[in-house]
Amino acid sequence: MRSLGRMATGFVFHIQRFSVADGPGIRTTVFLKGCNLRCFWCHNPESWDAGLSIEEFPERCIGCAECVRACPKGARERVEDRFAFDRERCELCGACVEACVADAIQGVGRRMTVSDTVAELERDRPFFEQSGGGVTVSGGEPLLQAEFVLELLAELGCRGLHTAVDTAGHVSWEVLQRAASLASLVLYDLKAFDGALHASGTGRSNELILENLRRLGDERAPVWVRIPLIPGFNDAPSELAAMADWIGRCRSVLRIELLGYHRLGEGKRDRLGLPRSRAVEPPSVQALRSAASVLEASGKPVVVR
Ligand code: SF4
Ligand code: SF4
């Protein structure tokens, strides 16, 4: 095995062990900061900003005022019996995170080298080998940190580990093609087929996303398409049928995974100072089954999660 002397760094916000929903087998998923979509149902809003994010847990505050003393920008102050945080003034220096011994203020994101990341991932090799699993690189949109991701995929591939890259596809074809050539599998998130609908839910057109999926099919890159089922957004049979038709034309798509919306992101929005998203109920089991039956028209196996 060759030695690492790599220089690329990435901004990572979480390394999730024992994941069974991010590709085959037991996986360790590396979540990267930064995203160029703003899906209203996102359950990882802490991934949106490319740099450090500040999460607050006021229920843990012990009232020591160390954060107020630490902040060089006057973004924190005591207001009667609580502590206020002015995010407009905050310059994300992280001093309050360091000062808060109660963990009532936490920073999301840390810079890691490829070497550090590989060393951490290698600890899970026995689980990968026993289960047919591996490493998944996710986000956010991981391919916004292309240099880090490409180097990481190359290194893990050299070490004989199965790799998956989880992308929403709103990236340049050159970067996606390179990542697909290095990864064992591409997990491709498709949110909607109708362009106006896609833009209304994610803030971006889906032209590039659909075109990139078509090109992955032409390249014969192994792909699992992942569709989040969001009631009232993309669950109309006509919308699902249009996605099925497009996916069916992509020869290298091996399966479709249908992911039911859940509400786990809501508490995170509060902690990040973000407004709550549109109210959506999670889909029923019957709704998931109905959507899966429409997607089966693609000719691909459909797995409901
Ligand atoms: S440093 Fe932490 S525990 Fe102390 S007042 Fe600030 S938020 Fe509360
Ligand atoms: S991150 Fe820095 S600037 Fe922002 S509130 Fe904390 S101490 Fe102040």
Side-chain angles (χ1 to χ4, degrees):
M1 200 176 293
R2 67 196 168 83
S3 66
L4 278 162
R6 305 289 184 134
M7 296 301 292
T9 64
F11 212 56
V12 175
F13 72 90
H14 187 45
I15 294 182
Q16 170 81 50
R17 304 205 135 83
F18 303 110
S19 170
V20 291
D22 290 326
I26 295 174
R27 309 192 71 79
T28 300
T29 303
V30 181
F31 290 94
L32 296 182
K33 290 276 284 170
C35 191
N36 52 12
L37 302 184
R38 288 292 181 270
C39 306
F40 71 83
W41 62 87
C42 181
H43 59 272
N44 282 337
E46 73 273 40
S47 72
W48 286 354
D49 289 340
L52 186 75
S53 299
I54 303 284
E55 272 194 304
E56 296 205 291
F57 299 79
E59 69 281 6
R60 297 182 188 167
C61 175
I62 55 174
C64 65
E66 286 301 325
C67 54
V68 178
R69 286 186 277 277
C71 181
K73 297 295 170 187
R76 296 195 174 268
E77 63 173 329
R78 186 194 290 270
V79 180
E80 298 175 350
D81 61 346
R82 66 185 187 89
F83 289 84
F85 177 23
D86 183 347
R87 287 182 182 267
E88 293 290 313
R89 288 188 171 194
C90 175
E91 293 192 356
L92 300 171
C93 70
C96 57
V97 175
E98 293 296 317
C100 182
V101 294
D103 281 343
I105 305 169
Q106 295 184 18
V108 183
R110 61 181 161 139
R111 190 152 289 286
M112 294 182 73
T113 64
V114 170
S115 312
D116 296 339
T117 312
V118 168
E120 203 161 327
L121 296 168
E122 277 285 3
R123 288 163 41 195
D124 298 334
R125 181 183 281 273
F127 301 106
F128 304 153
E129 290 177 349
Q130 282 165 24
S131 68
V135 174
T136 298
V137 185
S138 184
E141 172 49 71
L143 295 179
L144 296 181
Q145 299 191 54
E147 186 187 3
F148 175 79
V149 171
L150 296 177
E151 222 171 82
L152 182 62
L153 291 172
E155 185 62 39
L156 295 170
C158 284
R159 290 164 178 260
L161 291 175
H162 183 280
T163 55
V165 61
D166 177 19
T167 178
H170 199 277
V171 294
S172 77
W173 168 245
E174 290 68 29
V175 166
L176 179 60
Q177 182 186 37
R178 188 91 182 97
S181 73
L182 291 168
S184 317
L185 176 68
V186 178
L187 304 176
Y188 202 89
D189 304 334
L190 188 60
K191 333 277 188 182
F193 185 81
D194 180 85
L197 181 70
H198 190 278
S200 75
T202 70
R204 293 281 190 154
S205 154
N206 63 356
E207 273 179 45
L208 179 62
I209 294 167
L210 291 171
E211 176 63 6
N212 277 342
L213 178 57
R214 186 193 66 73
R215 294 177 85 166
L216 283 176
D218 292 347
E219 293 265 313
R220 307 288 179 98
V223 175
W224 291 6
V225 173
R226 307 214 293 182
I227 299 173
L229 190 69
I230 317 297
F233 173 66
N234 63 358
D235 59 343
S238 58
E239 178 58 27
L240 293 163
M243 282 196 272
D245 181 58
W246 190 264
I247 295 165
R249 296 164 193 246
C250 298
R251 279 180 291 184
S252 68
V253 173
L254 304 175
R255 70 154 78 173
I256 298 172
E257 292 199 331
L258 187 62
L259 316 171
Y261 164 79
H262 58 71
R263 288 204 179 109
L264 295 181
E266 286 297 322
K268 292 182 184 177
R269 283 174 192 258
D270 294 345
R271 299 198 291 269
L272 291 159
L274 295 169
R276 288 277 178 118
S277 61
R278 293 181 213 170
V280 178
E281 290 295 318
S284 65
V285 172
Q286 183 53 44
L288 283 162
R289 283 201 193 119
S290 300
S293 70
V294 177
L295 291 170
E296 279 164 4
S298 64
K300 312 290 184 183
V302 180
V303 175
V304 177
R305 291 200 182 273

